[in-house]
Every structure is written in C-alpha cells, then in structure tokens.
Amino acid sequence: MTSERRDKERRPMSVRHTLKARRALTAVAITTGLALAVAGCGGEDDDKPEAASSSSPATDGGKNKEDESSPEAPVQDQVLAEVTGGEGVTLTIRSAVRDAGGFLTVTGKVKNGGSGRWVATEWRGDEKELQRNAASMAGAAVVDKSGKKKYLVLRDTEGRCLCATFTPFKAGEEKTWYAQFPAPPESTTSVDFTIADMPPATIEISGGE
C-alpha cells in the first residue's frame, strides 16, 4: 500500500474523530448553559420571596404597632360628681352601681388639695360603734329624696364599715375609696351622696336586675 493511499484512509477517520469531539464539546456546552440558565432562574425566584418577606414585616409591624397602641391610648375617667370642701379636699364620685343582691356600691377618689397634711377623722361619722373605725368613709350616706329616705354605710358583724379606710393624706395626695349601702328601690334612679361637711353630690345609679 502506498503512502498516499494510507493518508487518504487515515483522513476520514481523523475527520470522524474530530466531528465526534466537536459534538461532545457542543453537548457539554449546551448542558452547561442550561444548568447556568436554570441556576439563574432559581436565583431570581429566590430573590423575589426575600424581597416580599422583607417588606411584609414593615407593613405588618406598622399594623401591629397601631393595634398595640390603641389599647394604650389614655382613657378619661368617668365622673358622676365632684365637690370640694374645706381644707381644699376634693371628693370625686366615679360610679354608683346597684348590685343584684340589694346593695349600692359607690366608688371614687379623694384628693388633698391643701398645702398641709390632712386626716379624714371627721369622715368616720358620729355613731359610737363607728368610732372603732380609723379615718374612713363610714360617715357617708345616700339620700333618696323622692322616697324621703336616708341610707347609711353598711357594717359587718363586728361593727366595721363596708367602706374604705384611710391613712393621713400628704399635700396633693389622692386615694381611691368605696362605700356600700342598702340599695334604694328600683324606681329610684338618683341619690344625693353626703359625708361630713362636704356639699351634697347628686349621682345617677346604674346596674340592677
């Protein structure tokens, strides 16, 4: 066999090998390109949820802040009546509730608006059995003007009033109080609250059966 013939026979084989190599490289390149494209798409999709999630807390956080702040908004205290007596003492009545058991419970605040110390000894009443009480609301009463009847503070079996007792008030100090009375008839919707030398305070009754 001559050298020219050998060269001719070798050329087709080398061409075939070259074509196979090129096809393999092309397939690898396509596969790599697809993989990169998929990875790129995946990266974009991953970025979108992150962007959404990063904006959600800001929106939700704003809503939660409003929701949380609403209950904390200051609420004005209800005032049924307010009177001021000697020594700058102010009596505020906030509620007068008729209980189902036949009681009337009155609540409020007392403030020493004077410049010196104040002791509510005169508020405990003049009855002898009430003298065992410390400074208190024991001398309070409610007057049913329509029924022409006066109701005194209730007492327990030992003679102690069903009411608040007080330690001395410092200047500017304010304290809460309560006093419990027999309830007037259902037809009575308002009464006058009185104690010591304080002016009478007309209050509306709420609650009942």
Side-chain angles (χ1 to χ4, degrees):
M1 184 180 293
T2 63
S3 60
E4 292 181 359
R5 186 175 179 181
R6 289 194 191 97
D7 292 338
K8 289 180 181 180
E9 288 178 354
R10 288 174 183 170
R11 283 174 187 169
M13 291 180 68
S14 62
V15 170
R16 284 197 296 271
H17 287 304
T18 302
L19 291 174
K20 286 181 181 180
R22 287 180 179 175
R23 290 192 192 104
L25 290 173
T26 303
V28 171
I30 292 172
T31 303
T32 304
L34 289 173
L36 291 173
V38 171
C41 293
E44 291 176 359
D45 292 340
D46 291 340
D47 289 340
K48 289 179 180 177
E50 287 178 4
S53 62
S54 63
S55 61
S56 296
T59 305
D60 294 341
K63 291 180 180 178
N64 292 338
K65 187 174 181 181
E66 292 177 1
D67 294 341
E68 290 173 1
S69 63
S70 297
E72 294 175 2
V75 179
Q76 292 184 351
D77 294 328
Q78 179 183 8
V79 175
L80 297 183
E82 186 173 274
V83 292
T84 301
E87 302 182 68
V89 177
T90 300
L91 173 74
T92 303
I93 301 175
R94 292 184 171 180
S95 68
V97 180
R98 189 196 309 274
D99 301 324
F103 307 115
L104 175 66
T105 303
V106 185
T107 65
K109 285 191 173 184
V110 178
K111 182 176 181 179
N112 176 16
S115 57
R117 184 170 172 266
W118 177 71
V119 183
T121 51
E122 294 182 1
W123 286 27
R124 64 185 178 184
D126 297 327
E127 295 182 49
K128 289 183 179 180
E129 68 176 334
L130 293 177
Q131 298 303 310
R132 72 185 68 183
N133 294 278
S136 67
M137 299 293 293
V142 291
V143 179
D144 176 8
K145 290 188 292 185
S146 61
K148 297 181 180 180
K149 204 165 185 179
K150 182 178 183 179
Y151 298 89
L152 303 178
V153 173
L154 291 169
R155 306 161 201 172
D156 63 17
T157 55
E158 297 181 359
R160 291 173 298 198
C161 74
L162 299 183
C163 65
T165 58
F166 303 119
T167 55
F169 286 71
K170 299 176 182 178
E173 187 174 13
E174 185 178 60
K175 298 179 183 181
T176 59
W177 63 268
Y178 79 95
Q180 198 168 48
F181 307 87
E186 292 283 345
S187 58
T188 300
T189 58
S190 68
V191 292
D192 283 352
F193 182 93
T194 65
I195 188 168
D197 63 345
M198 300 293 287
T202 303
I203 53 176
E204 296 293 324
I205 297 175
S206 60
E209 296 182 358

